[in-house]
């Protein structure tokens, strides 16, 4: 899970002295245009350019966004009133607004939830200290508009800009995009909420006996599993306590006061130390968020070198599926009134247990093909990856496709050619499919796989 941050504009309910400067900075950055309410221009993928949210980006050899995927950009399910993702977002906002109040009487945390998901590669990776060779940058795992611009893979892409603008306690919400497998819990678009809190020396140690004698930083220190080289151990332990206490209160608010919590050490490029929080739910331990102490190099690079900070990130779909018993991630995009009306409840805190729609029967078809010979591919961009196949299936089959599973692999003993066989499960969320209409979609997938991916069919 991404731990970093994101978003701006939209649900900011409280005046902030720096907001005008912040909005000005974002509106002039070509990769951070604010989305607008009302009519959203239709995306267009042309031979020379890609049009998204009213802006044009050059088309090049890295472009891999699809028309179907771009129809999701600007929908912003998390801002649609009474949608289950909106409900989760609003519950978390309400908790932070009521629990953390500044001396002025206003909420300590501001909330931003309407930044454009179109970001630069530098924003998405470099600003978070993710090295050039890191596997998360792969074309096969992300949606690129071109080599320099992409749809954000995590809301953390906006962290550097927001901290540079003067924010030191904020929540961020937005849609993020990743090429991934196809099943009931994975979708190419999902939604994240992340948070950041920065502390000065005085803020962190003000309640500690003789806190004025303590410091955030030390010289000549060394990096250990418990702290970064420039941080004092006492500062990191206080920061870690504040982070874990904040997040334990949050999950207690969402799951109930008796929820069991445990912490697991983990790794993220932009925090150290880093942790994942797991909660005990229906007898099993479930990971719900990632968090950690922000890398000081990141803060130094954006003018916050006199502060320490923590960050966390969580997935809204995961929480909503658990808290509302939603069995399939595709349902979040449903326009079926039988789904939507179940969440039109005025009381945000009222428990809701989703009542499943009729379970329509599934149909499945297999597709087998020989993979293209790797030595015949002229570049990495042209070589076959499984995410390319998943994306093709999503593009052709859309939300009719419930799951895609690799069921067989074979290497020819003489030619060494590789073959794969996938089972594609089709199920409509709102009606019964016929084998005839499924077969039409499946045959189109077969044809497209040969023409687009260079595979040779075995059907």
């Amino acid at each position: 899970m991404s731990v970093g941050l994101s978003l701006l504009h939209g649900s900011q309910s409280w005046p902030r002295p720096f907001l005008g400067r912040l909005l000005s900075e974002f509106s002039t950055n070509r990769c951070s245009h604010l989305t607008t309410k009302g009519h959203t221009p239709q995306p267009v993928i042309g031979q020379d350019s890609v049009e998204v949210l009213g802006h044009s980006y050059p088309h090049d050899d890295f472009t891999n966004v699809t028309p179907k995927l771009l129809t999701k950009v600007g929908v912003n399910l998390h801002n649609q009133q009474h949608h289950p993702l909106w409900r989760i977002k609003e519950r978390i906002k309400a908790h932070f607004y009521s629990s953390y109040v500044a001396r002025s009487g206003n909420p300590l945390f501001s909330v931003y939830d309407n930044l454009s998901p179109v970001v630069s590669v530098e924003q998405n990776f470099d600003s978070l200290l993710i090295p050039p060779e890191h596997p998360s940058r792969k074309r096969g795992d992300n949606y690129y508009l071109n080599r320099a611009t992409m749809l954000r893979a995590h809301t953390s892409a906006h962290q550097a800009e927001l901290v540079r603008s003067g924010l030191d306690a904020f929540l961020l919400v937005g849609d993020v995009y990743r090429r991934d497998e196809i099943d009931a819990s994975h979708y190419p678009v999902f939604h994240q909420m992340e948070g950041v809190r920065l502390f000065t020396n005085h803020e962190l140690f003000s309640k500690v006996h003789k806190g004025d004698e303590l410091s955030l930083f030390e010289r000549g220190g060394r990096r250990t599993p418990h702290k970064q080289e420039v941080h004092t151990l006492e500062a990191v332990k206080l920061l870690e306590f504040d982070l874990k206490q904040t997040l334990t209160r949050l999950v207690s608010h969402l799951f109930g006061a008796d929820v069991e919590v445990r912490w697991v050490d983990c790794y993220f490029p932009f925090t150290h130390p880093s942790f994942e929080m797991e909660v005990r739910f229906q007898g099993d331990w479930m990971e719900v968020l990632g968090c950690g102490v922000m890398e000081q190099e990141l803060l130094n690079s954006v003018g916050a070198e006199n502060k320490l900070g923590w960050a966390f990130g969580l997935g809204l779909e995961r929480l909503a599926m658990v808290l509302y018993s939603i069995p399939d991630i595709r349902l979040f995009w449903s326009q079926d009134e039988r789904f939507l009306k179940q969440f039109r409840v005025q009381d945000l805190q009222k428990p809701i247990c989703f009542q499943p729609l009729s379970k329509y029967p599934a149909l499945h078809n297999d597709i087998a093909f020989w993979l293209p010979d790797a030595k015949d591919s002229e570049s990495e961009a042209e070589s076959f990856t499984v995410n390319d196949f998943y994306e093709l299936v999503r593009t052709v089959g859309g939300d009719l496709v419930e799951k895609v599973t690799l069921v067989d692999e074979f290497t020819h003993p003489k030619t060494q050619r590789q073959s794969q066989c996938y089972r594609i499960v089709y199920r409509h969320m709102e009606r019964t499919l016929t084998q005839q209409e499924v077969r039409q979609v499946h045959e189109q997938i077969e044809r497209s796989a040969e023409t687009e991916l260079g595979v040779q069919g075995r059907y």
Side-chain angles (χ1 to χ4, degrees):
M1 178 179 291
S2 163
V3 163
L5 323 80
S6 101
L7 303 335
L8 168 65
H9 185 241
S11 69
Q12 168 62 314
S13 305
W14 304 89
R16 309 282 287 189
F18 49 76
L19 188 56
R21 175 166 55 87
L22 181 63
L23 290 171
S24 174
E25 177 175 337
F26 274 92
S27 64
T28 57
N29 185 323
R30 73 176 185 90
C31 289
S32 296
H33 299 291
L34 293 174
T35 58
T36 56
K37 298 183 183 295
H39 176 71
T40 300
Q42 290 298 308
V44 177
I45 301 178
Q47 185 174 356
D48 299 318
S49 65
V50 180
E51 307 283 338
V52 186
L53 298 176
H55 301 279
S56 180
Y57 304 89
H59 189 297
D60 65 19
D61 63 327
F62 236 60
T63 304
N64 66 354
V65 291
T66 64
K68 187 177 291 290
L69 186 280
L70 289 182
T71 63
K72 309 292 187 182
V73 178
V75 175
N76 295 334
L77 295 179
H78 60 286
N79 288 337
Q80 296 184 11
Q81 191 171 19
H82 300 305
H83 190 280
L85 298 181
W86 174 87
R87 295 188 67 86
I88 294 289
K89 180 194 75 170
E90 292 298 314
R91 288 187 64 189
I92 297 174
K93 276 175 53 180
H95 169 73
F96 273 90
Y97 277 0
S98 63
S99 300
Y100 304 95
V101 180
R103 292 181 179 178
S104 64
N106 286 339
L108 181 66
F109 286 81
S110 52
V111 179
Y112 305 95
D113 65 1
N114 205 24
L115 272 185
S116 168
V118 179
V119 299
S120 69
V121 171
E122 190 277 334
Q123 287 173 290
N124 199 78
F125 296 119
D126 300 302
S127 73
L128 293 164
L129 311 179
I130 298 173
E133 68 280 1
H134 198 275
S136 66
R137 293 177 178 253
K138 289 191 301 185
R139 182 176 181 268
D141 291 346
N142 299 283
Y143 289 102
Y144 285 92
L145 277 67
N146 53 46
R147 284 186 174 271
T149 315
M150 63 189 297
L151 297 178
R152 63 186 170 217
H154 43 207
T155 48
S156 316
H158 304 288
Q159 176 183 1
E161 297 161 289
L162 292 178
V163 173
R164 186 184 292 114
S165 297
L167 293 168
D168 55 14
F170 50 94
L171 301 175
L172 314 154
V173 196
D175 46 337
V176 298
Y177 299 78
R178 295 182 195 170
R179 289 158 60 97
D180 211 337
E181 58 193 291
I182 301 176
D183 59 30
S185 61
H186 290 86
Y187 202 78
V189 190
F190 57 102
H191 298 74
Q192 289 183 339
M193 172 176 275
E194 307 197 23
V196 169
R197 178 86 191 272
L198 305 183
F199 294 84
T200 63
N201 205 91
H202 173 72
E203 289 167 337
L204 189 61
F205 294 121
S206 60
K207 296 181 181 180
V208 177
H209 179 60
K210 295 186 176 180
D212 55 345
E213 299 177 7
L214 301 176
S215 175
L216 301 179
F217 307 107
E218 66 179 5
R219 293 184 178 181
R222 62 187 182 90
R223 178 171 290 240
T224 73
H226 307 291
K227 74 177 196 72
Q228 298 170 41
E229 53 270 33
V230 296
H231 295 161
T232 63
L233 185 59
E234 54 265 27
V236 171
K237 288 304 179 184
L238 272 177
L239 197 69
E240 181 181 325
F241 175 80
D242 185 84
L243 168 63
K244 291 181 176 179
Q245 183 183 60
T246 299
L247 296 177
T248 300
R249 288 173 176 170
L250 173 61
V251 298
S252 297
H253 171 71
L254 295 174
F255 288 88
D258 58 348
V259 65
E260 293 182 64
V261 171
R262 72 179 183 185
W263 299 93
V264 179
D265 293 340
C266 63
Y267 167 79
F268 299 112
F270 28 84
T271 56
H272 180 81
S274 302
F275 314 96
E276 288 180 345
M277 173 197 265
E278 297 182 349
V279 300
R280 196 165 183 84
F281 184 77
Q282 296 181 346
D284 295 319
W285 287 104
M286 178 184 68
E287 183 248 315
V288 293
L289 57 83
C291 61
V293 176
M294 296 170 68
E295 283 284 353
Q296 195 62 36
E297 180 184 346
L298 194 156
L299 293 177
N300 293 347
S301 69
V302 291
E305 60 278 350
N306 65 327
K307 298 177 182 179
L308 246 62
W310 55 244
F312 73 85
L314 57 83
L316 294 184
E317 277 86 350
R318 169 169 290 208
L319 284 177
M321 291 176 80
V322 171
L323 292 172
Y324 302 142
S325 301
I326 298 174
D328 194 309
I329 197 169
R330 292 176 297 165
L331 280 165
F332 291 108
W333 295 88
S334 174
Q335 295 300 307
D336 192 323
E337 271 296 304
R338 295 173 299 168
F339 172 75
L340 297 173
K341 70 180 181 182
Q342 296 188 41
F343 300 94
R344 295 195 185 108
V345 179
Q346 293 303 315
D347 183 3
L348 279 176
Q349 309 307 326
K350 182 177 180 179
I352 297 175
C353 184
F354 170 65
Q355 299 301 310
L357 312 180
S358 299
K359 188 69 171 179
Y360 296 99
L363 297 172
H364 73 264
N365 284 258
D366 292 350
I367 177 172
F369 44 73
W370 294 107
L371 301 185
D373 194 329
K375 67 176 181 292
D376 294 335
S377 298
E378 296 180 3
S379 69
E380 178 189 351
E382 296 178 355
S383 62
F384 177 88
T385 69
V386 65
N387 279 350
D388 290 337
F389 177 64
Y390 291 150
E391 187 62 28
L392 182 144
V393 172
R394 286 192 188 279
T395 298
V396 177
D399 287 352
L400 294 183
V401 179
E402 179 177 84
K403 187 175 183 178
V404 178
T405 307
L406 177 64
V407 294
D408 184 56
E409 289 185 281
F410 170 72
T411 300
H412 195 284
K414 292 185 178 180
T415 66
Q416 296 301 301
R417 294 187 70 189
Q418 291 183 295
S419 170
Q420 293 182 342
C421 179
Y422 292 87
R423 176 156 297 165
I424 304 178
V425 178
Y426 300 87
R427 191 198 308 266
H428 202 290
M429 304 299 291
E430 299 165 12
R431 64 178 177 84
T432 299
L433 291 172
T434 66
Q435 184 60 255
Q436 181 180 4
E437 61 184 324
V438 165
R439 189 60 211 168
Q440 290 177 345
V441 173
H442 196 75
E443 288 175 351
Q444 187 178 350
I445 291 174
E446 292 174 338
R447 292 191 299 269
S448 298
E450 291 192 338
T451 59
E452 301 294 330
L453 302 180
V455 302
Q456 182 180 345
R458 298 184 65 195
Y459 30 83

